Coordinates of all heavy atoms in Angstrom, one line a residue:
G1 N -11.9 -25.7 -19.1 CA -11.1 -25.3 -20.2 C -11.3 -23.8 -20.6 O -12.3 -23.2 -20.3
V2 N -10.3 -23.3 -21.3 CA -10.4 -21.9 -21.7 C -10.4 -21.8 -23.2 O -9.6 -22.4 -23.8 CB -9.2 -21.1 -21.1 CG1 -9.2 -19.7 -21.6 CG2 -9.2 -21.2 -19.6
N3 N -11.3 -21.0 -23.7 CA -11.3 -20.8 -25.2 C -11.5 -19.3 -25.4 O -12.7 -18.8 -25.4 CB -12.4 -21.6 -25.8 CG -12.5 -21.4 -27.3 OD1 -11.6 -20.9 -27.9 ND2 -13.6 -21.7 -27.9
G4 N -10.4 -18.5 -25.5 CA -10.6 -17.1 -25.6 C -9.6 -16.4 -26.4 O -8.6 -16.9 -26.8
A5 N -9.9 -15.1 -26.7 CA -9.0 -14.3 -27.5 C -7.9 -13.6 -26.7 O -6.9 -13.1 -27.2 CB -9.8 -13.3 -28.3
E6 N -8.1 -13.5 -25.4 CA -7.2 -12.7 -24.6 C -6.3 -13.7 -23.8 O -6.7 -14.3 -22.8 CB -8.0 -11.8 -23.6 CG -7.1 -11.0 -22.8 CD -7.9 -10.0 -21.9 OE1 -9.1 -10.1 -21.9 OE2 -7.3 -9.2 -21.2
S7 N -5.1 -14.0 -24.3 CA -4.2 -15.0 -23.6 C -3.4 -14.4 -22.5 O -2.9 -15.1 -21.7 CB -3.3 -15.6 -24.7 OG -2.5 -14.6 -25.3
A8 N -3.3 -13.1 -22.4 CA -2.5 -12.4 -21.3 C -3.2 -12.5 -20.0 O -2.6 -12.4 -19.0 CB -2.2 -11.0 -21.7
S9 N -4.5 -12.6 -20.0 CA -5.3 -12.6 -18.7 C -5.9 -14.0 -18.5 O -6.3 -14.6 -19.4 CB -6.4 -11.5 -18.8 OG -5.8 -10.3 -18.8
C10 N -6.0 -14.3 -17.3 CA -6.8 -15.5 -16.9 C -7.7 -15.1 -15.8 O -7.5 -14.1 -15.1 CB -5.9 -16.6 -16.6 SG -4.9 -16.4 -15.1
F11 N -8.7 -15.9 -15.6 CA -9.7 -15.6 -14.5 C -9.7 -16.8 -13.6 O -9.5 -17.9 -14.0 CB -11.1 -15.4 -15.1 CG -11.2 -14.2 -16.0 CD1 -11.1 -14.4 -17.4 CD2 -11.3 -13.0 -15.5 CE1 -11.2 -13.3 -18.2 CE2 -11.4 -11.9 -16.3 CZ -11.3 -12.0 -17.7
R12 N -9.9 -16.5 -12.3 CA -10.1 -17.5 -11.3 C -11.5 -17.4 -10.8 O -12.0 -16.3 -10.6 CB -9.1 -17.3 -10.1 CG -7.7 -17.5 -10.6 CD -6.7 -17.2 -9.4 NE -7.2 -17.9 -8.2 CZ -6.4 -18.4 -7.3 NH1 -5.1 -18.3 -7.4 NH2 -6.9 -19.0 -6.3
F13 N -12.1 -18.6 -10.5 CA -13.5 -18.6 -10.1 C -13.7 -19.3 -8.8 O -13.0 -20.2 -8.5 CB -14.4 -19.3 -11.1 CG -14.3 -18.7 -12.5 CD1 -13.4 -19.1 -13.4 CD2 -15.1 -17.6 -12.8 CE1 -13.3 -18.5 -14.7 CE2 -15.0 -17.0 -14.1 CZ -14.1 -17.5 -15.0
S14 N -14.6 -18.8 -8.0 CA -14.9 -19.4 -6.7 C -16.4 -19.2 -6.4 O -17.0 -18.3 -6.9 CB -14.1 -18.9 -5.5 OG -14.3 -17.5 -5.3
Y15 N -17.0 -20.1 -5.7 CA -18.4 -20.1 -5.4 C -18.6 -20.2 -3.9 O -18.1 -21.1 -3.3 CB -19.1 -21.3 -6.1 CG -20.6 -21.4 -5.8 CD1 -21.5 -20.4 -6.2 CD2 -21.1 -22.5 -5.2 CE1 -22.9 -20.6 -6.0 CE2 -22.5 -22.7 -4.9 CZ -23.3 -21.7 -5.3 OH -24.7 -21.8 -5.1
D16 N -19.4 -19.3 -3.3 CA -19.6 -19.2 -1.9 C -21.0 -19.7 -1.4 O -21.3 -19.5 -0.3 CB -19.3 -17.9 -1.3 CG -20.2 -16.8 -1.8 OD1 -21.3 -17.1 -2.4 OD2 -20.0 -15.6 -1.5
G17 N -21.7 -20.3 -2.3 CA -23.1 -20.8 -1.9 C -24.2 -19.8 -2.4 O -25.3 -20.1 -2.3
A18 N -23.8 -18.6 -2.8 CA -24.8 -17.6 -3.2 C -24.3 -16.8 -4.4 O -25.1 -16.3 -5.2 CB -25.1 -16.6 -2.1
N19 N -22.9 -16.7 -4.6 CA -22.3 -15.9 -5.7 C -21.2 -16.6 -6.3 O -20.4 -17.3 -5.6 CB -21.8 -14.6 -5.1 CG -22.9 -13.7 -4.5 OD1 -23.7 -13.1 -5.2 ND2 -22.9 -13.6 -3.2
M20 N -21.1 -16.5 -7.7 CA -19.9 -17.0 -8.4 C -19.0 -15.8 -8.5 O -19.3 -14.7 -9.1 CB -20.3 -17.5 -9.8 CG -19.1 -17.8 -10.7 SD -18.0 -19.1 -10.0 CE -19.1 -20.5 -10.1
H21 N -17.8 -15.9 -7.9 CA -16.8 -14.8 -7.9 C -15.8 -15.0 -9.0 O -15.3 -16.1 -9.1 CB -16.1 -14.7 -6.5 CG -17.0 -14.5 -5.4 ND1 -17.5 -13.3 -5.0 CD2 -17.5 -15.4 -4.5 CE1 -18.3 -13.5 -4.0 NE2 -18.3 -14.7 -3.6
C22 N -15.6 -14.0 -9.8 CA -14.6 -14.0 -10.9 C -13.5 -13.0 -10.5 O -13.8 -11.9 -10.2 CB -15.2 -13.6 -12.2 SG -16.7 -14.6 -12.6
Q23 N -12.3 -13.5 -10.5 CA -11.1 -12.7 -10.2 C -10.2 -12.7 -11.3 O -9.9 -13.7 -12.0 CB -10.4 -13.2 -8.9 CG -11.2 -13.2 -7.7 CD -10.5 -14.0 -6.5 OE1 -9.9 -15.0 -6.7 NE2 -10.7 -13.4 -5.3
G24 N -9.6 -11.5 -11.6 CA -8.7 -11.3 -12.7 C -8.7 -9.9 -13.2 O -9.1 -9.0 -12.5
D25 N -8.2 -9.7 -14.4 CA -8.2 -8.3 -15.0 C -9.5 -8.0 -15.6 O -9.7 -8.3 -16.8 CB -7.0 -8.3 -16.0 CG -6.8 -6.9 -16.6 OD1 -7.3 -5.9 -16.0 OD2 -6.2 -6.8 -17.6
I26 N -10.4 -7.4 -14.9 CA -11.8 -7.2 -15.3 C -11.9 -5.8 -15.8 O -11.7 -4.8 -15.1 CB -12.7 -7.5 -14.1 CG1 -12.6 -8.9 -13.7 CG2 -14.2 -7.1 -14.5 CD1 -13.3 -9.2 -12.4
K27 N -12.3 -5.7 -17.1 CA -12.5 -4.4 -17.8 C -13.9 -3.9 -17.7 O -14.8 -4.7 -17.8 CB -12.0 -4.5 -19.2 CG -10.6 -4.9 -19.4 CD -9.6 -3.9 -18.8 CE -8.2 -4.2 -19.1 NZ -7.3 -3.4 -18.3
A28 N -14.1 -2.6 -17.6 CA -15.4 -2.0 -17.6 C -16.2 -2.5 -18.9 O -15.6 -2.5 -19.9 CB -15.3 -0.5 -17.5
G29 N -17.5 -2.8 -18.7 CA -18.3 -3.2 -19.8 C -18.3 -4.6 -20.2 O -19.1 -5.1 -21.0
T30 N -17.4 -5.4 -19.5 CA -17.4 -6.8 -19.8 C -18.6 -7.5 -19.1 O -18.9 -7.2 -18.0 CB -16.0 -7.4 -19.3 OG1 -15.0 -6.8 -19.9 CG2 -15.9 -8.9 -19.6
V31 N -19.2 -8.4 -19.8 CA -20.4 -9.2 -19.3 C -19.9 -10.6 -18.9 O -19.3 -11.3 -19.7 CB -21.5 -9.2 -20.4 CG1 -22.7 -10.0 -19.9 CG2 -21.9 -7.8 -20.8
Y32 N -20.4 -11.0 -17.7 CA -20.1 -12.3 -17.1 C -21.4 -13.0 -16.9 O -22.3 -12.5 -16.2 CB -19.3 -12.2 -15.8 CG -18.0 -11.6 -16.0 CD1 -17.8 -10.2 -16.1 CD2 -16.8 -12.4 -16.1 CE1 -16.6 -9.6 -16.3 CE2 -15.6 -11.8 -16.2 CZ -15.5 -10.5 -16.3 OH -14.2 -9.9 -16.5
S33 N -21.6 -14.2 -17.5 CA -22.8 -14.9 -17.4 C -22.6 -16.3 -17.0 O -21.6 -16.9 -17.4 CB -23.6 -15.0 -18.8 OG -23.7 -13.7 -19.3
L34 N -23.4 -16.9 -16.1 CA -23.3 -18.2 -15.6 C -24.5 -19.1 -16.2 O -25.6 -18.7 -16.0 CB -23.2 -18.3 -14.1 CG -23.1 -19.7 -13.5 CD1 -21.7 -20.2 -13.7 CD2 -23.4 -19.7 -12.0
Y35 N -24.1 -20.2 -16.8 CA -25.1 -21.1 -17.4 C -25.0 -22.5 -16.8 O -23.8 -22.9 -16.5 CB -25.0 -21.2 -18.9 CG -25.2 -20.0 -19.6 CD1 -24.2 -19.0 -19.9 CD2 -26.5 -19.7 -20.2 CE1 -24.5 -17.9 -20.6 CE2 -26.7 -18.6 -20.9 CZ -25.7 -17.7 -21.1 OH -26.0 -16.5 -21.8
N36 N -26.1 -23.2 -16.6 CA -25.9 -24.6 -16.3 C -25.6 -25.4 -17.7 O -25.7 -24.8 -18.7 CB -27.1 -25.2 -15.6 CG -28.4 -25.2 -16.4 OD1 -28.4 -25.2 -17.6 ND2 -29.5 -25.3 -15.7
L37 N -25.3 -26.7 -17.6 CA -25.0 -27.4 -18.8 C -26.1 -27.6 -19.7 O -26.0 -27.9 -20.9 CB -24.3 -28.7 -18.5 CG -22.9 -28.6 -17.8 CD1 -22.4 -30.0 -17.6 CD2 -22.0 -27.8 -18.6
G38 N -27.4 -27.3 -19.3 CA -28.5 -27.4 -20.1 C -28.8 -26.1 -20.9 O -29.7 -25.9 -21.7
G39 N -27.9 -25.1 -20.6 CA -28.0 -23.8 -21.4 C -28.9 -22.8 -20.7 O -29.2 -21.7 -21.3
V40 N -29.3 -23.0 -19.5 CA -30.2 -22.1 -18.7 C -29.3 -21.0 -18.1 O -28.4 -21.4 -17.3 CB -31.0 -22.8 -17.7 CG1 -31.9 -21.8 -16.9 CG2 -31.9 -23.9 -18.4
L41 N -29.6 -19.8 -18.3 CA -28.9 -18.6 -17.7 C -29.3 -18.6 -16.2 O -30.5 -18.4 -15.9 CB -29.2 -17.3 -18.4 CG -28.6 -16.1 -17.8 CD1 -27.1 -16.1 -18.0 CD2 -29.2 -14.8 -18.5
L42 N -28.3 -18.6 -15.4 CA -28.5 -18.6 -13.9 C -28.2 -17.2 -13.3 O -28.8 -16.9 -12.3 CB -27.6 -19.6 -13.2 CG -27.9 -21.1 -13.7 CD1 -26.9 -22.0 -13.0 CD2 -29.3 -21.5 -13.4
G43 N -27.4 -16.5 -14.0 CA -27.0 -15.1 -13.5 C -26.1 -14.4 -14.5 O -25.4 -15.1 -15.2
C44 N -26.2 -13.1 -14.4 CA -25.4 -12.3 -15.4 C -25.1 -11.0 -14.7 O -26.0 -10.4 -14.0 CB -26.3 -12.1 -16.6 SG -25.4 -11.2 -17.9
V45 N -23.9 -10.4 -15.0 CA -23.5 -9.1 -14.4 C -22.6 -8.5 -15.4 O -21.8 -9.1 -16.1 CB -22.9 -9.3 -13.0 CG1 -21.6 -10.0 -13.1 CG2 -22.7 -7.9 -12.3
T46 N -22.7 -7.1 -15.5 CA -21.8 -6.3 -16.3 C -20.9 -5.5 -15.4 O -21.4 -4.8 -14.5 CB -22.6 -5.4 -17.2 OG1 -23.4 -6.2 -18.1 CG2 -21.7 -4.6 -18.1
A47 N -19.6 -5.5 -15.7 CA -18.6 -4.7 -14.9 C -18.9 -3.2 -15.2 O -18.8 -2.8 -16.3 CB -17.2 -5.1 -15.2
D48 N -19.1 -2.4 -14.1 CA -19.3 -1.0 -14.2 C -18.0 -0.2 -14.4 O -18.0 0.8 -15.0 CB -20.0 -0.4 -13.0 CG -21.4 -1.0 -12.8 OD1 -22.1 -1.3 -13.9 OD2 -21.9 -1.1 -11.7
S49 N -16.9 -0.8 -13.9 CA -15.6 -0.2 -14.0 C -14.6 -1.2 -14.0 O -14.8 -2.4 -13.7 CB -15.4 0.8 -12.9 OG -15.5 0.1 -11.6
D50 N -13.3 -0.9 -14.3 CA -12.2 -1.8 -14.2 C -12.1 -2.3 -12.8 O -12.3 -1.5 -11.8 CB -10.9 -1.2 -14.6 CG -10.9 -0.8 -16.1 OD1 -11.8 -1.2 -16.9 OD2 -9.9 -0.2 -16.6
A51 N -11.8 -3.6 -12.6 CA -11.7 -4.2 -11.2 C -10.9 -5.4 -11.3 O -10.4 -5.9 -12.3 CB -13.1 -4.5 -10.7
T52 N -10.7 -6.0 -10.1 CA -10.0 -7.3 -10.0 C -10.9 -8.4 -9.6 O -10.5 -9.5 -9.6 CB -8.8 -7.2 -9.0 OG1 -9.3 -6.8 -7.7 CG2 -7.8 -6.2 -9.4
E53 N -12.1 -8.1 -9.2 CA -13.1 -9.1 -8.8 C -14.5 -8.6 -9.2 O -14.8 -7.4 -9.0 CB -13.0 -9.5 -7.4 CG -14.0 -10.6 -7.0 CD -13.8 -11.1 -5.6 OE1 -12.7 -11.0 -5.0 OE2 -14.8 -11.6 -5.0
I54 N -15.4 -9.5 -9.6 CA -16.8 -9.3 -9.8 C -17.5 -10.5 -9.4 O -17.0 -11.6 -9.5 CB -17.0 -8.9 -11.3 CG1 -18.4 -8.3 -11.5 CG2 -16.8 -10.1 -12.2 CD1 -18.6 -7.6 -12.8
S55 N -18.8 -10.3 -8.9 CA -19.6 -11.5 -8.4 C -20.9 -11.5 -9.2 O -21.5 -10.5 -9.4 CB -19.8 -11.3 -6.9 OG -18.6 -11.3 -6.2
I56 N -21.2 -12.8 -9.5 CA -22.5 -13.0 -10.2 C -23.4 -13.6 -9.1 O -23.2 -14.7 -8.6 CB -22.4 -14.0 -11.4 CG1 -21.3 -13.5 -12.4 CG2 -23.7 -14.3 -12.0 CD1 -20.9 -14.6 -13.4
P57 N -24.5 -12.9 -8.8 CA -25.4 -13.5 -7.8 C -26.2 -14.6 -8.5 O -26.9 -14.4 -9.5 CB -26.3 -12.3 -7.4 CG -26.2 -11.3 -8.5 CD -24.9 -11.6 -9.1
V58 N -26.1 -15.9 -8.0 CA -26.8 -17.0 -8.6 C -27.6 -17.8 -7.6 O -28.2 -18.8 -8.0 CB -25.8 -17.9 -9.3 CG1 -25.1 -17.2 -10.5 CG2 -24.7 -18.4 -8.4
G59 N -27.6 -17.5 -6.3 CA -28.3 -18.3 -5.4 C -27.7 -19.6 -5.2 O -26.6 -19.9 -5.7
Q60 N -28.3 -20.5 -4.4 CA -27.8 -21.8 -4.2 C -28.0 -22.7 -5.4 O -29.1 -22.7 -5.9 CB -28.4 -22.4 -2.9 CG -28.0 -21.7 -1.7 CD -28.6 -22.5 -0.4 OE1 -29.6 -23.0 -0.5 NE2 -27.8 -22.4 0.6
Q61 N -26.9 -23.3 -5.8 CA -27.0 -24.2 -7.0 C -26.5 -25.6 -6.5 O -25.6 -25.7 -5.7 CB -26.1 -23.7 -8.1 CG -26.6 -22.3 -8.6 CD -28.0 -22.3 -9.2 OE1 -28.4 -23.3 -9.9 NE2 -28.7 -21.3 -9.0
P62 N -27.0 -26.7 -7.2 CA -26.5 -28.0 -6.8 C -25.0 -28.1 -7.3 O -24.6 -27.5 -8.2 CB -27.4 -28.9 -7.6 CG -28.0 -28.1 -8.6 CD -28.1 -26.7 -8.1
C63 N -24.3 -29.0 -6.6 CA -22.9 -29.3 -7.1 C -23.0 -29.8 -8.5 O -23.9 -30.5 -8.9 CB -22.3 -30.4 -6.2 SG -22.1 -29.8 -4.5
G64 N -22.0 -29.4 -9.3 CA -21.9 -29.9 -10.6 C -21.1 -29.0 -11.5 O -20.4 -28.1 -11.0
S65 N -21.1 -29.1 -12.8 CA -20.4 -28.4 -13.8 C -21.3 -27.2 -14.3 O -22.5 -27.4 -14.6 CB -19.9 -29.2 -14.9 OG -19.0 -30.2 -14.5
Y66 N -20.7 -26.1 -14.6 CA -21.3 -24.9 -15.1 C -20.4 -24.2 -16.1 O -19.2 -24.5 -16.1 CB -21.7 -23.9 -14.0 CG -22.7 -24.5 -13.0 CD1 -22.3 -25.3 -11.9 CD2 -24.1 -24.3 -13.1 CE1 -23.2 -25.9 -11.1 CE2 -25.0 -24.8 -12.3 CZ -24.6 -25.7 -11.2 OH -25.5 -26.2 -10.4
I67 N -21.0 -23.3 -16.9 CA -20.2 -22.6 -17.9 C -20.3 -21.1 -17.6 O -21.4 -20.6 -17.4 CB -20.8 -22.8 -19.3 CG1 -20.8 -24.3 -19.7 CG2 -20.0 -22.0 -20.3 CD1 -19.4 -24.9 -19.8
V68 N -19.2 -20.5 -17.5 CA -19.1 -19.0 -17.3 C -18.7 -18.4 -18.7 O -17.7 -18.9 -19.3 CB -18.1 -18.5 -16.3 CG1 -18.0 -17.0 -16.2 CG2 -18.5 -19.1 -14.9
V69 N -19.5 -17.5 -19.2 CA -19.2 -16.9 -20.5 C -18.8 -15.5 -20.2 O -19.5 -14.7 -19.5 CB -20.5 -16.9 -21.4 CG1 -20.2 -16.2 -22.7 CG2 -20.9 -18.4 -21.7
V70 N -17.7 -15.1 -20.8 CA -17.1 -13.7 -20.6 C -17.0 -13.1 -21.9 O -16.4 -13.6 -22.9 CB -15.7 -13.8 -19.9 CG1 -15.1 -12.4 -19.7 CG2 -15.7 -14.6 -18.6
K71 N -17.7 -11.9 -22.1 CA -17.7 -11.2 -23.3 C -17.5 -9.7 -23.1 O -18.1 -9.1 -22.2 CB -19.1 -11.3 -24.0 CG -19.4 -12.7 -24.5 CD -20.7 -12.7 -25.3 CE -21.1 -14.1 -25.7 NZ -22.4 -14.1 -26.4
G72 N -16.5 -9.2 -23.8 CA -16.1 -7.8 -23.7 C -15.4 -7.4 -25.0 O -15.2 -8.1 -25.9
D73 N -14.9 -6.1 -25.0 CA -14.1 -5.6 -26.1 C -12.9 -6.4 -26.4 O -12.5 -6.6 -27.5 CB -13.8 -4.1 -25.9 CG -15.0 -3.2 -26.0 OD1 -16.0 -3.6 -26.6 OD2 -15.0 -2.1 -25.4
T74 N -12.2 -6.8 -25.3 CA -10.9 -7.5 -25.5 C -10.9 -9.0 -25.2 O -9.9 -9.6 -25.3 CB -9.8 -6.8 -24.6 OG1 -10.2 -7.0 -23.2 CG2 -9.7 -5.3 -24.9
V75 N -12.0 -9.5 -24.8 CA -12.1 -10.9 -24.4 C -13.4 -11.5 -24.8 O -14.5 -10.9 -24.7 CB -11.8 -11.1 -22.9 CG1 -12.8 -10.4 -22.1 CG2 -11.7 -12.6 -22.6
K76 N -13.4 -12.7 -25.3 CA -14.5 -13.6 -25.6 C -14.1 -15.0 -25.2 O -13.3 -15.6 -25.9 CB -15.0 -13.5 -27.0 CG -15.6 -12.2 -27.4 CD -16.0 -12.2 -28.9 CE -16.7 -10.9 -29.3 NZ -15.8 -9.7 -29.1
A77 N -14.6 -15.5 -24.0 CA -14.1 -16.7 -23.5 C -15.2 -17.5 -22.8 O -16.2 -16.9 -22.3 CB -13.0 -16.5 -22.6
N78 N -15.1 -18.8 -22.8 CA -16.0 -19.7 -22.1 C -15.2 -20.5 -21.1 O -14.1 -21.0 -21.5 CB -16.7 -20.7 -23.1 CG -17.5 -20.0 -24.1 OD1 -18.2 -19.0 -23.8 ND2 -17.5 -20.5 -25.3
Y79 N -15.6 -20.6 -19.9 CA -14.9 -21.4 -18.9 C -15.8 -22.4 -18.3 O -17.0 -22.1 -18.0 CB -14.4 -20.4 -17.7 CG -13.5 -19.4 -18.2 CD1 -13.9 -18.2 -18.7 CD2 -12.1 -19.6 -18.1 CE1 -13.0 -17.2 -19.1 CE2 -11.2 -18.7 -18.5 CZ -11.7 -17.5 -19.0 OH -10.8 -16.5 -19.4
K80 N -15.4 -23.6 -18.1 CA -16.1 -24.7 -17.4 C -15.7 -24.6 -16.0 O -14.5 -24.7 -15.7 CB -15.9 -26.0 -18.0 CG -16.6 -27.1 -17.3 CD -16.4 -28.5 -18.0 CE -17.1 -29.6 -17.3 NZ -16.8 -30.9 -17.9
V81 N -16.7 -24.4 -15.1 CA -16.3 -24.4 -13.6 C -17.1 -25.5 -12.9 O -18.2 -25.9 -13.4 CB -16.7 -23.0 -13.0 CG1 -15.8 -21.9 -13.6 CG2 -18.1 -22.7 -13.2
I82 N -16.6 -26.0 -11.9 CA -17.2 -27.0 -11.0 C -17.5 -26.4 -9.7 O -16.6 -25.8 -9.0 CB -16.3 -28.2 -10.9 CG1 -16.1 -28.8 -12.3 CG2 -17.0 -29.3 -10.0 CD1 -15.1 -29.9 -12.4
M83 N -18.8 -26.5 -9.3 CA -19.2 -26.0 -8.0 C -19.6 -27.2 -7.1 O -20.1 -28.2 -7.6 CB -20.4 -25.1 -8.1 CG -20.1 -23.8 -8.9 SD -21.3 -22.5 -8.8 CE -22.7 -23.2 -9.6

């Protein structure tokens, strides 16, 4: 589910076994964090510049549900993702 202030943009997520990839309208300075459902931070990255994709290095994680938290000047959102 999506809970955010920026309705014009949406993000797509994919996991390749080592990185959580976030695709969308990514603004410089936006922070992307991945948490397990227990609240443990697994990885975090800040966008250095505007982009269309950013990757959070998280290593191998077991299949299941995770939360991606996106925080920036124009967006504050939480996304539930399944890997």
Side-chain angles (χ1 to χ4, degrees):
V2 176
N3 179 17
E6 184 175 1
S7 60
S9 293
C10 63
F11 297 98
R12 294 176 49 147
F13 301 94
S14 61
Y15 176 65
D16 65 9
N19 297 289
M20 173 60 66
H21 302 282
C22 304
Q23 298 173 321
D25 185 17
I26 297 167
K27 299 296 184 193
T30 303
V31 178
Y32 295 80
S33 305
L34 180 72
Y35 294 87
N36 67 19
L37 292 183
V40 176
L41 177 65
L42 302 174
C44 183
V45 65
T46 302
D48 294 331
S49 60
D50 291 354
T52 57
E53 182 173 335
I54 195 166
S55 298
I56 305 169
V58 294
Q60 291 185 326
Q61 300 296 325
C63 294
S65 297
Y66 295 84
I67 303 295
V68 176
V69 177
V70 181
K71 291 184 182 178
D73 290 339
T74 62
V75 62
K76 289 180 179 58
N78 300 318
Y79 297 88
K80 182 178 178 183
V81 296
I82 299 173
M83 298 194 292

